[in-house]
């Protein structure tokens, strides 16, 4: 059946509902297919009156609710930050280095940043982000201010540069456009000022109840009042349009013929652009013609409130978009008394020119200066925080946690003699049930618990064997300190004529001792565990198949992959061997998703609040991963394909598999994130993705690995043991062994909990030093530099014993070696200035004496140090 009967029933129902029924349609939407064509014919033959309802729907959708406005603001924030932090920086670098980069290449690079916001540290989900149109870069005399144009392959010209960026967040659009002018003239400055004043007038007029045509006329009058009538003739057809799910809402075009009314919740792209402008006396033909465009995303406020500029994070004032660069001939003109040339700022520092020194600009601040100012601001707050925390710990009386293992002095082998197993012969017996060894001593069988035995050995002498049993003994042995007046047995030796029995006895004792130690270790680990809530099966279970787990379950047998399931309140991992582990959402401190790029695995990693037992071991880190390619390959095990000798197809298959696995993990992460945001919003859980651009190589444990920062942590998740350092737990960082002639330096991380050992990341390449400093400053961590490695245990011990004295002496500033060196030099200079000036003969003699005295002082100081050590 083709559906004709149902369509006719629908037509009849419409006619019965109203005698002169009018049906609204969307004639601009064209639909293909037999059903659509049949539907159009049935309605055309029905005799019903049809009207175009697209205008009504557009008017209905033009006012956005709060959720929609939030999506628009996120899209606008992304567009602003990409323009300010990436595009501007990229243009600065090109002009500074004199590079030649095509418009199309810049467009491609900008699009990659938009679709992956984490590259700029923007906390937006990549799957919700998209471009509204490919970024547009135009310069060199060829300009077209329509958003439908594409960036050409011409090289970026250092004249007038027009950039337009359109972004989407959850399908809602935003737009921003900026014009950057290099070496501007007075005429260009006046034109830009007039265009900017007209845009501000247009924005101020977009209030609830205003007529669009009147607002547009007001903006044009501002242009004329500024004496720029020629700009009116070269304006684009309209001054913007409404935006939403559609990038351009045709019903809300900002044109002088549109009598529509502005209402609260509307979103507009206010874009004023003029093209075809001419510059007499341009230095080259490409700079003779130019265009100017300023575009922003505007959100209409409530009645009586001004409109909000959602893209205001990217400045558009003249001093932020204009540059004046010095050329060689300009330097000569200045020397002859020419006019001063000013270098305008675009960002925090002035734009550097390849033909001028940065020191020419008095407002310029190097990255090191900016970093130092931020670090100085952190010092006072850090010292106050340290004092407050340590004082609170002293008042609470918090100390080291007591161990949960059983005490040796409280262990009992047998409650009474009657509980001992009967023995006919005076031979060594091993009672595994009661964890005891029964030894004959002076004709009496004496029981010893296995925990009292330190070691047991067997030596053969001809036809006899000697068994030597050594017991725990010494001040470190807990029963010795508890019973200082008791006499302890240190060693027993036995002689046996049965060699096999002697060897078996020694082996049984060693096995029993090993098993008991293992059980005690597991018992101590389990004693510190926190009871977890029970897993609640979810109505919808999200599953990720064929995953491996680290650490593994242990035990014997071949390891097999399993499935990871996301339930209502936690994850469940189950493999075909029946081994299972639950990770509850409320026990997760940090969650990480690391897609495979330079590694062979895609990773989901969970750093827990309380440890859990995985197999027989306690762990705070649980990782699930999938291999995107074979970790081990046989180099000569197979023949090459005669049709693919270079293995290009094989590499392509590996890329496809990597992309497929990454996409599956990404979809799983997205679904779990939605559950967290809906049902566990108070936990503020979010999957962190490491920033590879900020990563560096180092050695936190045994091998050199690639360590990467995330939003909340510093992590290394590829090799075991894992490294997960929470930024919130870091007190300070000391960069050690920093010197110009050293290839590597070390990073010492001091935690807020001074009872924790200082973590060291050794052998970091010195070329990564600036990257590390920038990252530490960006996350507001105070850092210091030193030329030597420090002994941190006594330092932290002294701080905990006297926190007030530590702060009075400057707090963490004792690590600031530069400051102490400069103070020492200043004192030396003051003392030297008070001395008299000797004549030449005296100075010559005294200089030799000084050299001798210096040598003697060095020797004396070494001897003094040795004496001090001996006294200690």
């Amino acid at each position: 059946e083709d559906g004709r009967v149902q369509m006719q029933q629908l037509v009849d129902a419409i006619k019965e509902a109203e005698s002169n029924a009018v049906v609204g349609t969307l004639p601009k939407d064209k639909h293909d297919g037999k059903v659509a064509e049949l539907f159009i014919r049935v309605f055309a033959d029905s005799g019903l009156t049809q009207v175009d309802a697209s205008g009504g729907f557009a008017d209905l959708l033009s006012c956005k609710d709060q959720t929609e406005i939030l999506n628009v603001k996120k899209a606008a924030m992304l567009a602003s930050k990409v323009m300010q932090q990436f595009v501007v920086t990229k243009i600065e670098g090109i002009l500074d280095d004199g590079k030649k980069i095509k418009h199309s290449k810049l467009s491609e690079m900008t699009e990659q940043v938009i679709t992956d916001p984490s590259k700029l540290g923007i906390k937006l989900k990549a799957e919700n982000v998209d471009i509204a149109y490919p970024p547009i870069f135009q310069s060199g005399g060829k300009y077209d201010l329509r958003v439908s144009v594409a960036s050409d392959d011409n090289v970026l010209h250092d004249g007038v540069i027009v950039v337009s960026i359109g972004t989407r967040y959850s399908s809602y659009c935003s737009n921003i456009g900026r014009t950057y002018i290099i070496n501007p003239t007075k005429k260009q400055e006046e034109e830009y000022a007039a265009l900017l004043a007209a845009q501000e007038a247009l924005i101020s007029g977009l209030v609830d109840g205003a007529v669009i045509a009147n607002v547009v006329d007001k903006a044009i009058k501002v242009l004329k009042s500024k004496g720029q009538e020629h700009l009116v003739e070269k304006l684009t057809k309209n001054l913007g349009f409404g935006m939403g799910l559609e990038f351009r809402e045709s019903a809300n075009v900002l044109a002088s013929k549109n009598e529509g009314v502005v209402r609260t919740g509307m979103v507009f792209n206010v874009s004023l652009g003029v093209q075809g402008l001419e510059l007499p006396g341009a230095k080259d033909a490409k700079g003779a013609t130019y265009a100017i465009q300023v575009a922003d995303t505007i959100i209409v406020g409530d009645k009586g409130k001004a409109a909000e500029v959602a893209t205001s994070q990217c400045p558009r004032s003249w001093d932020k978009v204009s540059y004046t660069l010095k050329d060689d001939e300009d330097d000569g003109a200045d020397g002859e008394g020419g006019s001063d040339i000013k270098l305008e700022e675009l960002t925090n520092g002035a734009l550097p020119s390849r033909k001028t020194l940065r020191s020419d600009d008095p407002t310029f601040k190097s990255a090191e200066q900016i970093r130092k100012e931020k670090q100085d601001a952190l010092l006072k707050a850090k010292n106050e925080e340290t004092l407050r925390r340590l004082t609170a710990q002293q008042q609470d009386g918090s100390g080291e946690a007591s161990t949960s293992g059983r005490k040796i002095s409280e262990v009992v082998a047998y409650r009474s003699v009657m509980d001992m197993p009967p023995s006919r012969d005076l031979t060594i017996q091993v009672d595994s049930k009661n964890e005891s060894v029964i030894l004959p001593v002076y004709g009496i069988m004496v029981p010893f618990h296995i925990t009292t035995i330190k070691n047991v050995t067997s030596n053969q002498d001809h036809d006899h064997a000697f068994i030597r049993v050594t017991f725990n003994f010494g001040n470190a042995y807990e029963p010795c300190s508890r019973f200082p007046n008791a006499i302890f047995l240190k060693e027993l030796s036995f002689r046996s004529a049965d060699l096999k029995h002697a060897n078996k006895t020694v082996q049984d004792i060693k096995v029993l001792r090993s098993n008991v130690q293992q059980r005690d270790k597991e018992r101590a680990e389990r004693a510190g565990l926190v009871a977890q809530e029970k897993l609640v099966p979810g109505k919808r279970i999200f599953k990720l198949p064929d995953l491996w787990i680290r650490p593994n379950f242990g035990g014997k047998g071949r390891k097999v992959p399993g499935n990871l399931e996301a339930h209502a309140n936690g994850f469940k991992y189950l493999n075909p061997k029946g081994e299972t582990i639950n990770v509850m959402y409320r026990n997760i401190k940090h969650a990480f998703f690391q897609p495979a790029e330079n590694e062979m695995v895609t990773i989901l990693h969970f750093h827990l609040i309380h440890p859990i037992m995985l197999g027989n071991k306690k762990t705070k880190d649980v990782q699930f991963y999938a291999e995107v390619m074979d970790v081990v390959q046989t180099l000569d095990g197979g023949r090459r394909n005669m049709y693919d000798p270079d293995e290009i197809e094989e590499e392509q298959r590996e890329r496809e598999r990597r992309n497929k696995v990454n996409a599956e993990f990404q979809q799983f992460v997205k679904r779990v994130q939605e559950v967290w945001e809906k049902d566990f919003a108070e936990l503020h859980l979010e999957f962190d993705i490491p920033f590879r651009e900020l990563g560096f190589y180092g050695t936190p444990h045994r091998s050199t690995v690639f360590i990467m920062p995330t939003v909340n942590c510093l992590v290394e998740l590829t090799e075991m043991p894992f490294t997960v350092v929470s930024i919130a737990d870091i007190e300070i960082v000391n960069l050690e062994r920093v010197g110009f002639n050293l290839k590597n330096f070390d990073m010492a991380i001091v935690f807020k909990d001074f009872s924790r050992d200082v973590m060291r990341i050794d052998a970091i390449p010195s070329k990564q030093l600036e990257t590390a400093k920038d990252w530490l400053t960006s996350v507001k961590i105070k850092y210091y530099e030193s030329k030597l490695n420090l002994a941190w245990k006594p330092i932290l011990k002294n701080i905990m014993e006297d926190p007030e004295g530590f702060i009075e002496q400057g707090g963490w500033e004792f690590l600031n070696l530069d400051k102490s060196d400069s103070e020492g030099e200043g004192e030396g200079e003051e003392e030297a200035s008070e001395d008299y000036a000797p004549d030449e003969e005296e100075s010559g003699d005294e200089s030799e004496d000084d050299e001798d005295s210096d040598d003697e002082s060095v020797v004396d100081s070494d001897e003094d140090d040795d004496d001090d050590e001996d006294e200690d």
Side-chain angles (χ1 to χ4, degrees), residues 379-579:
L379 175 62
K380 183 179 179 181
K382 176 56 62 179
N383 284 337
E384 291 177 353
E385 177 194 343
T386 303
L387 177 61
R388 186 166 56 249
R389 187 177 64 255
L390 293 178
T391 304
Q393 289 178 359
Q394 286 184 343
Q395 293 175 353
D396 295 341
S398 58
E400 295 183 359
S402 61
T403 58
S404 55
R406 57 178 174 174
K407 294 183 178 180
I408 304 299
S409 59
E410 297 176 356
V411 173
V412 177
Y414 299 98
R415 295 291 178 183
S416 66
V417 178
M418 301 302 296
D419 295 335
M420 293 176 56
S423 177
R424 296 180 181 178
D425 302 324
L426 295 176
T427 59
I428 299 175
Q429 298 182 27
V430 179
D431 186 358
S432 299
K433 181 180 178 181
N434 293 290
E435 302 178 351
S436 299
V437 178
I438 304 175
L439 303 176
V441 180
Y442 293 116
I444 301 174
M445 301 301 293
V446 180
F448 294 87
H449 196 274
I450 192 65
T451 55
T452 64
I453 296 177
K454 182 179 181 181
N455 192 21
V456 59
T457 59
S458 174
N459 296 318
Q460 185 176 348
D461 183 12
H462 299 291
D463 55 347
H464 289 81
F466 291 90
I467 300 175
R468 182 183 179 186
V469 181
T470 306
F471 296 92
N472 288 309
F473 184 76
N475 295 330
Y477 189 48
E478 186 262 336
C480 290
S481 59
R482 184 173 181 180
F483 306 104
N485 298 323
I487 299 175
F488 290 86
L489 191 63
K490 187 175 182 181
E491 181 182 310
L492 287 175
S493 296
F494 300 90
R495 182 170 177 267
S496 174
D498 191 344
L499 300 180
K500 291 185 178 179
H501 175 71
N503 292 332
K504 183 178 183 302
T505 300
V506 170
Q507 185 66 24
D508 290 344
I509 294 175
K510 288 184 176 180
V511 170
L512 176 60
R513 183 171 177 272
S514 176
N515 292 338
V516 170
Q517 285 180 340
Q518 183 65 25
R519 285 198 294 268
D520 285 348
K521 183 179 179 181
E522 293 179 10
R523 188 182 298 114
E525 288 183 344
R526 292 183 182 274
L529 295 177
V530 177
Q532 302 290 325
E533 58 183 314
K534 291 185 178 180
L535 185 70
V536 178
K539 296 180 180 178
R540 291 187 61 192
I541 300 176
F542 307 119
K543 185 181 294 185
L544 205 55
D546 299 329
L547 298 186
W548 301 86
I549 185 172
R550 290 193 294 187
N552 54 44
F553 286 102
K556 299 180 180 179
R558 181 173 176 268
K559 305 297 185 292
V560 294
N563 298 332
L564 180 64
E565 301 174 350
H567 290 269
N569 65 335
F571 296 102
K572 180 178 182 181
Y573 178 81
L574 178 66
N575 64 21
K577 294 173 65 175
E579 297 169 325

Side-chain angles (χ1 to χ4, degrees), residues 359-379:
S359 57
D360 291 343
D361 180 22
T363 62
F364 175 78
K365 291 183 180 180
S366 66
E368 182 65 28
Q369 289 175 318
I370 296 173
R371 232 181 4 236
K372 189 176 184 303
E373 291 177 358
K374 293 181 179 179
Q375 286 290 315
D376 291 342
L378 288 173
L379 175 62

